[in-house]
Amino acid sequence: MQTLREFTRKTKRGNILKIVREHYLRDDIGCGSDLCQYCFQNEVYQLTSNHDVKSSLFKFPHYIVLDTNVVLDQIDVLEEDVLRNVIVLTTVLNEVKHKSSSIYKRFNEIIHDRKRNFYVFVNEHHKDTYADREPDESANDRNDRAIRLAAKWYDSHLQTSQDSKVFERSGRTVTRVVLLTDDAGNRAKAEAEGILVATAADYVKSLEDYPLLVDKLSQKTFENEKQALPQYPPHLSMKEILEGLRHKKLLQGSFQASRENYLEGNVNVEGYEKGILIQGRESLNRAVDGDIVAVELLPESEWSAPSEIVLEEKNVYADDVPSEEREEEEMEMLQQLQAAPVEERTPTGRIVGIVRRKWRQYCGILQPSLIEDTTRHIFVPADRKIPRIRIETRQATKLQNQRIVVTIDSWPRNSRYPHGHFVRSLGPLGNMATENEVILLEHDVPHCKFSEEVLSFLPKMPWTITEEDYAKRVDLRDLYICSVDPPGCTDIDDALHCRELPNGNLEVGVHIADVSHFIRPGNALDKEAAARGTTVYLVGKRIDMVPELLSSNLCSLVGGEERFAFSVVWEVDHQANILAKRFHKSVIKSKRAMTYEEAQAIIDDEAQTGEIAKSLRHLNRLAKILKKRRMDNGALVLASPEIRFQVDSETHEPLEVEAKQMRDTNSMVEEFMLLANISVAQHIAAEFTECAVLRRHPKPPNTNFDPLIKAARYQGFEVVTDTGLELAHSLDKCVKADNPYFNTMIRILATRCMMQAVYFISGSLQKEEFFHYGLAAEIYTHFTSPIRRYSDIMVHRLLAASIGADSTYAQLLDRKSNEEICNNLNYRHKMAQYAGRASVALNTHLFFRGKEEDEEGYVLFVRKNALQVLIPKYGLEGTLYLKSDKDGKDGLERTKSEVIFTFNEEDHTQRCGNVIFHSFDPVTVRLSLDSTNVQHEKLVFKLVIPYIKGFSVETTTELVTPANAQPPAKKSKKDKKKK
Amino acid sequence: MAYVALSEAEKTFILHGVEEDFRCDGRSRRDYRPMELETGLVSNASGSARLRLANTDILVGVKTEIDVPNPLTPEFGKLEFFVDCSANATPEFEGRGGSDLAQELILSLQNAYESPYAFDYRTLCLIPGQQCWKLYIDILILECGGNLHDAVSLAAKAALYNTKLPRVTATLLDAGVTDLIISDNPYDCTRIGIDAVPLLVTVCKIGDYCLVDPTAEEEVCSTVSMVVSVSMRNNEAYLSGTHMTGGGSMHRDTMLNSIQLGLSMGEQLNNLLVTMLKLEEERVGPKRPNTVGFLK
């Protein structure tokens, strides 16, 4: 049987076409039920009588038909392994696919889970359930009708199968079909047609065995709130927004909430260098970080400047009575802003509509409720940019000390906070595994186990090198190749050698693990690696990009084993001038895998005269020449405080902190890696002008340097930022005799002015834009760490293709797909970096649990109500609040003090009596972990030196302060042990 | 024109029949042969019709496109005819064999539709001076049984009646540029008014008499014919064009008579066609008919 589907479509050129598709109706589509005696069933029964879900609404066995809105809104409920025997109609599947690809993906996973018994019924092609569109019927109505038609058909179809005498004798209850829909109109129509129907919420509540499933219901409204007064201005409709954007009355951009001040945010709009500032709750108008919003620019007279206030939301209660205090606080902040000096004002606007929500799932904790036995709770996300979310849960006491995941469902006008629902629990608070999970989730790091399909592409063990392999590769097993890496490194991807040639020159070789030999393009393993993009390093944990067999064994250039490598070999003279270079695949046998420390010891130990020692000394000497040459070119030495944790192998809790040390050998390895990267970049860019994968570091716009220039100027230094070379020189000059750390601080600031380095495809940019600003290199790429970076694998493949060592394939040379991969890599890299930092921050917290230390630090920024203090020893940055908090909630004893700080806007200083804080001033602060709030531990900075009476911590009265901080800390520990 | 071999005796027989007002198939000079009409049978087209007039078989499809109006007539839409003489009809049409005939048919149709009184081009306008509909009326001749002009015009009119244009709304963009938005409901359509759409009536002169709806054989006997295009306005038949075919000539009186005959026949034909089309539409309803008929 055949019918036609007609629709009209507008082409790109503006033509209107009538399109007609043939649509075949079949009579051989099975219903998938094991009760059925008529249908032709081509596979295993999906709908079986083995499952029985007890519902107080429908007290007989039943199958469930879902409406589209139920799938879209209640996907979290569906993901729970509760609902079974579900009939998924293709109408619904198509609508879901059309509305949300992410939910479609999740839904598909449920469908493919055989145990769940979700049966996809192709109702659109079944002769009895196909619904042709009626005149005057909207597409939506047609779909609803198709769903009802299918539900009705199923019910009567099953009934005929269960009519028989045999069935009656078996004494079983008749299985019916239940339609779940949240659309009231559809429900009414279904009832009229005699279909069993219920809302998703009613049905879930009626399940007798799963009372907790209710928590996962999407909350569009909370009952008592329907009459509440609107707290936000209404959003414009989509049509109005589009019209406004077209007429340039509105601007569109992605919203970024401020980390420090919950009443402030920024919208990145094209054409506005710094974005558009949004201040105040009503102007923010329910935008959540990441959303694409429409902004209306305020008249210039109402523009304002970013408040330099650190403001955290407090007194949040689920009952939501707007407290007067809070209003006052908000008012105060806004008043201050109006007084902002004219020259600091930036374009300011207000959000009038949301173009697209970018809501995801958020990790966080429940805020303890003041009222016992309430189901309504406030959820505090771990990410401070995300507002609190109101959820309903019956298991609050259980979840009280757990990290949980919550998703936002809606944010109506009359609610102060968005509404959400509980998705799942990650585990107890403070547990290392839980916290790591939070970090990975928050940074969107794919960290599930490698699937069977991916693993199937691994080489079979035991793996041996065949004769064929030897024939194809250059045999370098005799060379004295060694690797130098940080201690405990198992994914060794680079090794070096250096030897004297008969003609007096030196031969230097960099050997990189040949990962592309094992990961063949296009297979599941390759796709997985491309999706992950990079290995993510957390403290004490590594999330691999490729399965461990490759990363720590077959690819890793461990000492004494024969391994495949991709080698770059130069012939250089003793002044490190490159005379010749060549690339080839090789077989190597690393003589020794060393740590930086060991290598340094060998170089320094005069007694060592072996081949390795000789080659290391040569390398070291050449590296120094290379480094100097690079510096003279204007490469920047930047600093960021980096620390390492010694982690307890069992509890995974940090034992000790040390700042990372830089040895000569670090820089030696680094220089040769840079050299290899640059050599490869030149080669592939010349070979593939359109599709080479390169890395560039754009010069930051001059405004980026403003904070650096300002800060240096207060100290009497002039930083010139016109070129990289000038910047490098002026940074070198910033030295203060009395403050040895000053130069490092300036460099830390300079680092923060930099842009992100990004991967790109050579064909997408002009040659001049290839420049790598930080390294002062004309061209650069990543070649040396294929085990942990996918970009390097791509570079390996390009290089291999160019020297004929490997075959090319279509996608390798496809600029567009390469560009897509690059975009993903850039995103993954950024996220991996953030995740790494978050992990360090987390471990710092754990490290200070129950400890209190006085540490030397430096003022990094002076804010209006706080000092940003950097502790070099821990690479830690924290806020020292100067203004007392009104409610004194975490203000401790200083609330009572009469100390008043005055902020000088001219030179950014804070003054109290005769003590003045400048940027970069050394201070001593006491660090402790404030555990009064078990859920939200935070590091507290307290001033020790310079001493201000009534504000600083009394160094002599040790007894007073610990009494404040430690007992709760201990208590919290005990609390944890109990669980 | 399709060639039919006739002997002199046959021709004389036909001639005598016409003189007697009793033609070979029993008709009088003012009679048409039976017709079969079906509309909406080509699902890919916006409108379609198939007409069978005894042995003459015509299929018409209407396709639509968005175009820019002619600057001289900014408020007018566009109409274009195309005739394809299928080699199915007669082997002579093979290759370029039918192109002369096709050209002649196109010309006579264009001529008939040219006047804005005969076809209201304004209904095809979307945004004056910027965008309008352009209708392609594609005519396929499947079989030749004489009187092609009449059959083609009847089928074209029926197809236009059947044509459904998707409802389009215009929104104003910046700088006066407009953007078209089409309705997502396939049933939300506009129709074309066909009241004034002309029909062609071929008046064929055989011997001293004029007759309508000549068969292929009669056409061979005729020395000259006049194609009269008849357009209806306020229930009155108007002449919207004439066109002569054949080698012979006509006396002025014969010509006037022919036009009179054509007008009265055209009026009758038109009334019948419109009633039949309305009847058919009522029977089928707004939904697409179940696929039965000629193309199935």
Side-chain angles (χ1 to χ4, degrees):
Chain A
M1 249 175 100
Q2 181 204 25
T3 182
L4 295 166
R5 284 188 308 132
E6 276 175 25
F7 50 97
T8 32
R9 180 175 288 165
K10 206 172 134 193
T11 61
K12 265 186 198 151
R13 283 175 49 222
N15 210 347
I16 291 174
L17 293 181
K18 180 183 177 190
I19 293 167
V20 181
R21 296 255 182 278
E22 288 184 341
H23 189 87
Y24 293 90
L25 299 182
R26 313 175 53 140
D27 53 6
D28 60 348
I29 296 173
C31 67
S33 163
D34 62 350
L35 294 166
C36 179
Q37 299 158 1
Y38 303 103
C39 282
F40 165 75
Q41 310 282 7
N42 49 358
E43 51 180 329
V44 209
Y45 297 121
Q46 286 291 346
L47 304 168
T48 60
S49 43
N50 298 345
H51 301 294
D52 200 5
V53 178
K54 282 205 183 64
S55 161
S56 56
L57 266 179
F58 305 103
K59 291 175 177 153
F60 40 82
H62 52 270
Y63 299 155
I64 297 165
V65 175
L66 299 171
D67 194 1
T68 318
N69 48 41
V70 175
V71 179
L72 288 172
D73 292 340
Q74 311 293 5
I75 186 75
D76 287 322
V77 173
L78 297 177
E79 274 181 344
E80 280 303 292
D81 193 6
V82 173
L83 296 191
R84 297 183 183 229
N85 282 343
V86 174
I87 299 161
V88 180
L89 305 175
T90 37
T91 314
V92 174
L93 211 53
N94 288 337
E95 263 191 302
V96 170
K97 186 177 178 182
H98 187 70
K99 293 239 169 78
S100 158
S101 55
S102 69
I103 290 182
Y104 177 70
K105 198 171 160 238
R106 288 165 70 187
F107 193 44
N108 244 336
E109 259 160 42
I110 307 173
I111 291 169
H112 287 295
D113 186 353
R114 288 245 151 195
K115 283 176 284 182
R116 296 293 307 275
N117 298 75
F118 275 53
Y119 179 69
V120 178
F121 180 62
V122 193
N123 67 320
E124 292 283 9
H125 288 272
H126 192 285
K127 71 176 170 52
D128 293 329
T129 57
Y130 175 71
D132 200 5
R133 190 158 165 181
E134 299 282 350
D136 307 323
E137 190 180 43
S138 75
N140 217 353
D141 288 344
R142 188 217 82 103
N143 287 343
D144 285 349
R145 190 161 57 84
I147 292 167
R148 289 198 305 272
L149 193 62
K152 179 105 183 136
W153 176 83
Y154 247 103
D155 203 25
S156 56
H157 175 75
L158 289 177
Q159 222 123 69
T160 49
S161 292
Q162 296 175 93
D163 262 351
S164 69
K165 291 261 157 57
V166 186
F167 185 84
E168 266 171 39
R169 251 174 268 141
S170 74
R172 282 192 296 176
T173 341
V174 178
T175 301
R176 298 286 304 271
V177 174
V178 173
L179 173 67
L180 295 190
T181 174
D182 285 345
D183 177 348
N186 199 11
R187 210 158 52 230
K189 279 184 191 156
E191 256 164 27
E193 287 169 29
I195 302 167
L196 297 173
V197 64
T199 65
D202 287 344
Y203 182 77
V204 168
K205 279 177 197 153
S206 79
L207 295 179
E208 284 157 9
D209 301 337
Y210 303 97
L212 293 182
L213 194 62
V214 177
D215 287 359
K216 304 217 164 184
L217 278 172
S218 166
Q219 299 288 351
K220 289 281 187 204
T221 49
F222 283 103
E223 275 153 25
N224 70 336
E225 211 169 55
K226 282 172 190 153
Q227 296 92 22
L229 287 173
Q231 305 204 15
Y232 294 94
H235 285 153
L236 295 183
S237 73
M238 204 58 205
K239 206 176 144 199
E240 288 170 303
I241 291 175
L242 288 178
E243 219 148 81
L245 290 174
R246 242 179 233 155
H247 291 123
K248 305 265 185 317
K249 274 187 203 146
L250 302 178
L251 299 159
Q252 177 179 340
S254 70
F255 173 71
Q256 277 184 320
S258 159
R259 207 177 278 277
E260 282 156 1
N261 185 338
Y262 75 98
L263 291 177
E264 213 171 270
N266 219 6
V267 177
N268 295 327
V269 177
E270 234 174 278
Y272 288 84
E273 204 177 307
K274 281 183 177 168
I276 292 175
L277 183 71
I278 312 286
Q279 273 178 338
R281 223 162 43 81
E282 297 205 340
S283 295
L284 291 171
N285 202 356
R286 293 171 280 160
V288 178
D289 186 71
D291 288 350
I292 309 289
V293 296
V295 191
E296 186 182 50
L297 210 57
L298 293 174
E300 208 156 325
S301 56
E302 290 175 37
W303 285 8
S304 124
S307 68
E308 295 178 10
I309 299 180
V310 182
L311 199 60
E312 213 183 310
E313 196 163 10
K314 292 186 205 88
N315 305 345
V316 184
Y317 304 118
D319 48 0
D320 204 31
V321 186
S323 73
E324 279 173 26
E325 265 175 279
R326 196 168 46 192
E327 300 266 289
E328 229 169 78
E329 196 174 71
E330 284 171 13
M331 289 294 290
E332 195 184 344
M333 184 201 122
L334 286 174
Q335 266 164 14
Q336 274 182 345
L337 292 169
Q338 245 112 59
V342 178
E343 65 269 21
E344 277 181 27
R345 290 187 184 174
T346 59
T348 310
R350 62 191 185 90
I351 292 172
V352 294
I354 307 285
V355 179
R356 200 174 329 125
R357 288 288 191 191
K358 283 282 173 72
W359 289 342
R360 53 184 174 97
Q361 298 192 334
Y362 304 99
C363 302
I365 46 173
L366 272 192
Q367 178 179 283
S369 178
L370 294 180
I371 314 153
E372 268 177 46
D373 287 339
T374 177
T375 55
R376 213 162 285 162
H377 292 271
I378 288 287
F379 164 83
V380 187
D383 189 344
R384 284 173 63 179
K385 291 178 183 173
I386 307 299
R388 315 278 153 112
I389 300 166
R390 177 195 301 213
I391 63 167
E392 246 179 59
T393 175
R394 259 142 274 250
Q395 24 182 351
T397 39
K398 200 182 118 210
L399 299 177
Q400 203 57 258
N401 292 308
Q402 299 205 331
R403 293 266 173 211
I404 60 171
V405 178
V406 157
T407 186
I408 302 184
D409 300 320
S410 67
W411 195 341
R413 266 182 77 194
N414 50 14
S415 165
R416 190 181 181 90
Y417 304 107
H419 295 170
H421 67 266
F422 167 72
V423 178
R424 67 194 163 106
S425 166
L426 296 173
L429 265 176
N431 177 305
M432 210 50 207
T434 315
E435 302 294 342
N436 276 340
E437 179 86 9
V438 170
I439 289 174
L440 296 176
L441 279 176
E442 279 294 301
H443 295 92
D444 192 17
V445 176
H447 60 283
C448 47
K449 274 191 192 139
F450 289 98
S451 69
E452 281 302 316
E453 197 196 355
V454 170
L455 295 176
S456 71
F457 287 99
L458 291 177
K460 299 282 165 293
M461 292 304 278
W463 174 80
T464 47
I465 301 176
T466 62
E467 281 305 316
E468 209 183 321
D469 290 326
Y470 285 123
K472 273 194 202 156
R473 291 164 181 270
V474 180
D475 189 352
L476 299 180
R477 282 176 289 171
D478 307 334
L479 291 182
Y480 282 87
I481 294 170
C482 56
S483 63
V484 186
D485 284 285
C489 178
T490 57
D491 49 349
I492 304 168
D493 38 25
D494 49 69
L496 293 159
H497 88 272
C498 177
R499 63 171 175 173
E500 283 167 38
L501 292 174
N503 62 7
N505 287 335
L506 295 171
E507 184 192 79
V508 178
V510 167
H511 311 276
I512 306 299
D514 190 8
V515 181
S516 60
H517 173 87
F518 296 101
I519 301 183
R520 302 312 299 167
N523 67 24
L525 178 58
D526 180 51
K527 281 182 189 147
E528 179 72 27
R532 293 187 177 215
T534 173
T535 295
V536 180
Y537 294 89
L538 302 184
V539 174
K541 190 178 164 99
R542 186 178 84 196
I543 294 93
D544 280 324
M545 180 181 81
V546 295
E548 192 164 4
L549 178 69
L550 290 182
S551 68
S552 302
N553 188 356
L554 296 186
C555 290
S556 181
L557 305 175
V558 286
E561 295 285 341
E562 287 186 15
R563 287 286 178 258
F564 288 158
F566 208 141
S567 304
V568 184
V569 182
W570 300 275
E571 187 181 335
V572 297
D573 61 18
H574 286 268
Q575 276 68 51
N577 294 312
I578 295 168
L579 305 173
K581 66 178 173 191
R582 60 176 200 272
F583 309 100
H584 55 72
K585 293 212 168 184
S586 52
V587 185
I588 63 161
K589 189 169 175 183
S590 169
K591 294 292 167 289
R592 195 172 159 189
M594 286 174 285
T595 65
Y596 290 121
E597 212 169 347
E598 285 168 351
Q600 189 68 47
I602 293 177
I603 293 173
D604 294 344
D605 185 0
E606 302 274 329
Q608 298 254 19
T609 52
E611 279 296 327
I612 292 181
K614 262 201 272 176
S615 81
L616 280 178
R617 281 185 201 125
H618 274 308
L619 288 170
N620 200 20
R621 196 174 53 74
L622 291 173
K624 280 183 180 156
I625 301 172
L626 288 170
K627 183 164 185 180
K628 179 157 188 322
R629 202 174 287 161
R630 220 159 46 79
M631 291 302 138
D632 293 345
N633 267 331
L636 299 175
V637 181
L638 299 172
S640 56
E642 276 194 78
I643 51 170
R644 280 183 73 85
F645 283 93
Q646 297 270 346
V647 179
D648 188 310
S649 53
E650 274 174 25
T651 60
H652 295 292
E653 285 192 13
L655 298 175
E656 217 171 308
V657 185
E658 56 187 49
K660 268 187 194 160
Q661 275 191 344
M662 279 298 271
R663 293 189 179 81
D664 267 3
T665 41
N666 287 52
S667 133
M668 172 186 93
V669 174
E670 190 186 325
E671 283 311 319
F672 284 103
M673 293 309 131
L674 289 178
L675 189 63
N677 284 337
I678 292 171
S679 296
V680 171
Q682 284 163 347
H683 183 83
I684 59 170
E687 294 279 336
F688 306 96
T689 47
E690 280 297 304
C691 61
V693 179
L694 300 175
R695 188 167 173 85
R696 72 194 182 99
H697 184 207
K699 181 181 186 306
N702 270 335
T703 48
N704 268 25
F705 287 113
D706 284 350
L708 171 69
I709 297 175
K710 254 192 213 168
R713 197 172 289 152
Y714 298 142
Q715 302 297 313
F717 292 100
E718 204 57 45
V719 175
V720 190
T721 58
D722 294 339
T723 66
L725 190 60
E726 279 174 308
L727 177 64
H729 282 313
S730 44
L731 286 180
D732 288 341
K733 281 186 208 134
C734 291
V735 184
K736 267 190 166 181
D738 58 330
N739 189 347
Y741 199 64
F742 175 65
N743 188 266
T744 319
M745 304 259 295
I746 281 281
R747 286 187 198 277
I748 290 174
L749 282 189
T751 314
R752 295 193 180 171
C753 305
M754 292 298 153
M755 309 277 284
Q756 280 271 347
V758 288
Y759 296 110
F760 70 103
I761 299 297
S762 55
S764 61
L765 287 174
Q766 292 298 313
K767 257 220 163 78
E768 298 76 56
E769 291 172 283
F770 290 7
F771 194 67
H772 196 292
Y773 182 75
L775 296 172
E778 290 297 324
I779 192 165
Y780 192 66
T781 191
H782 270 162
F783 168 73
T784 52
S785 300
I787 299 181
R788 58 187 179 90
R789 288 190 303 236
Y790 190 76
S791 52
D792 301 48
I793 297 184
M794 291 168 75
V795 171
H796 273 231
R797 286 179 185 157
L798 286 167
L799 185 64
S802 78
I803 60 168
D806 208 338
S807 53
T808 55
Y809 54 100
Q811 236 200 342
L812 180 74
L813 306 175
D814 180 8
R815 193 172 126 191
K816 202 145 179 241
S817 76
N818 279 358
E819 246 169 352
E820 270 162 28
I821 297 176
C822 275
N823 288 341
N824 179 42
L825 292 182
N826 287 330
Y827 170 72
R828 292 288 179 210
H829 264 268
K830 199 170 72 189
M831 281 319 189
Q833 227 171 13
Y834 291 165
R837 279 185 216 156
S839 172
V840 169
L842 163 72
N843 279 276
T844 322
H845 271 190
L846 294 179
F847 180 69
F848 278 103
R849 190 176 284 169
K851 270 196 210 117
E852 187 155 278
E853 272 183 44
D854 288 355
E855 285 300 337
E856 291 220 353
Y858 297 91
V859 177
L860 204 53
F861 293 108
V862 180
R863 304 253 185 226
K864 269 183 190 159
N865 65 344
L867 299 176
Q868 296 281 112
V869 179
L870 179 82
I871 315 289
K873 183 175 170 193
Y874 300 113
L876 188 70
E877 202 184 311
T879 316
L880 181 67
Y881 289 92
L882 297 178
K883 287 240 169 74
S884 55
D885 284 305
K886 271 219 183 66
D887 49 5
K889 228 190 163 190
D890 62 341
L892 299 174
E893 76 270 37
R894 56 191 151 89
T895 34
K896 296 157 215 146
S897 73
E898 295 292 306
V899 184
I900 291 163
F901 285 89
T902 30
F903 179 66
N904 187 336
E905 306 220 0
E906 300 270 298
D907 54 355
H908 274 246
T909 54
Q910 287 276 8
R911 176 195 289 270
C912 172
N914 53 357
V915 182
I916 302 174
F917 291 103
H918 295 92
S919 298
F920 308 113
D921 277 354
V923 288
T924 302
V925 288
R926 175 163 298 172
L927 303 176
S928 61
L929 195 66
D930 173 19
S931 307
T932 41
N933 184 349
V934 186
Q935 306 236 341
H936 216 195
E937 293 178 326
K938 53 184 171 190
L939 269 179
V940 175
F941 284 60
K942 273 177 271 178
L943 191 64
V944 181
I945 301 170
Y947 177 72
I948 299 171
K949 195 171 172 4
F951 179 75
S952 298
V953 187
E954 307 284 334
T955 30
T956 43
T957 52
E958 283 280 323
L959 290 169
V960 183
T961 29
N964 259 311
Q966 272 195 347
K970 271 183 187 160
K971 213 168 151 193
S972 74
K973 255 194 155 175
K974 264 185 213 153
D975 279 353
K976 256 164 223 124
K977 271 175 196 155
K978 272 187 223 157
K979 277 161 230 155
Chain B
M1 196 72 62
Y3 177 74
V4 183
L6 280 188
S7 67
E8 276 305 314
E10 279 173 302
K11 280 185 185 170
T12 320
F13 181 70
I14 290 170
L15 188 77
H16 288 165
V18 171
E19 276 169 9
E20 297 283 323
D21 198 9
F22 194 79
R23 290 150 75 180
C24 301
D25 43 14
R27 291 183 288 158
S28 76
R29 290 195 291 261
R30 298 168 63 94
D31 278 341
Y32 266 81
R33 288 168 290 172
M35 281 181 232
E36 242 175 66
L37 180 67
E38 187 185 344
T39 58
L41 67 167
V42 183
S43 53
N44 303 56
S46 298
S48 56
R50 180 218 165 209
L51 182 97
R52 192 171 170 85
L53 174 63
N55 283 334
T56 306
D57 206 340
I58 312 287
L59 181 64
V60 178
V62 180
K63 282 281 218 182
T64 58
E65 207 174 74
I66 301 281
D67 203 357
V68 182
N70 191 327
L72 294 176
T73 52
E75 291 181 351
F76 281 13
K78 291 179 177 175
L79 203 60
E80 197 175 302
F81 290 98
F82 177 76
V83 176
D84 180 26
C85 298
S86 156
N88 283 345
T90 147
E92 288 164 59
F93 288 161
E94 215 176 306
R96 290 174 171 268
S99 66
D100 286 347
L101 173 65
Q103 208 54 45
E104 194 202 325
L105 286 168
I106 291 172
L107 276 175
S108 56
L109 281 168
Q110 266 173 0
N111 186 27
Y113 277 72
E114 197 177 18
S115 158
Y117 289 115
F119 185 84
D120 188 3
Y121 288 91
R122 268 174 256 266
T123 54
L124 296 183
C125 179
L126 293 168
I127 307 153
Q130 285 182 7
Q131 273 171 322
C132 67
W133 287 109
K134 182 174 190 182
L135 302 186
Y136 290 94
I137 303 181
D138 295 323
I139 298 162
L140 184 61
I141 295 171
L142 296 168
E143 208 178 331
C144 273
N147 199 13
L148 281 176
H149 286 88
D150 297 26
V152 161
S153 73
L154 280 163
K157 184 161 180 167
L160 280 174
Y161 180 77
N162 181 244
T163 300
K164 293 176 183 87
L165 300 171
R167 192 176 301 280
V168 169
T169 40
T171 52
L172 205 64
L173 296 188
D174 286 336
V177 179
T178 41
D179 190 25
L180 297 179
I181 296 170
I182 40 174
S183 156
D184 80 314
N185 186 348
Y187 293 100
D188 193 9
C189 296
T190 48
R191 304 286 290 268
I192 297 168
I194 54 148
D195 294 340
V197 171
L199 289 177
L200 303 182
V201 178
T202 311
V203 181
C204 188
K205 183 166 172 274
I206 297 177
D208 297 331
Y209 296 91
C210 291
L211 55 87
V212 293
D213 190 24
T215 60
E217 290 79 14
E218 284 165 342
E219 276 171 356
V220 176
C221 302
S222 152
T223 46
V224 65
S225 346
M226 173 178 251
V227 181
V228 182
S229 56
V230 186
S231 166
M232 296 296 289
R233 216 180 324 147
N234 303 328
N235 282 326
E236 251 179 273
Y238 281 79
L239 186 65
S240 77
T242 55
H243 168 79
M244 303 284 285
T245 62
S249 60
M250 247 186 212
H251 188 266
R252 201 177 54 141
D253 291 344
T254 324
M255 200 180 246
L256 281 175
N257 280 339
S258 303
I259 290 175
Q260 283 306 331
L261 176 63
L263 280 174
S264 69
M265 287 314 297
E267 191 179 348
Q268 275 181 44
L269 261 185
N270 190 62
N271 289 341
L272 276 171
L273 177 70
V274 171
T275 6
M276 288 319 285
L277 283 172
K278 292 217 164 113
L279 261 176
E280 190 199 19
E281 192 182 28
E282 257 170 46
R283 217 175 44 238
V284 174
K287 281 189 79 173
R288 194 180 50 246
N290 279 337
T291 40
V292 286
F294 166 68
L295 281 181
K296 291 299 132 193

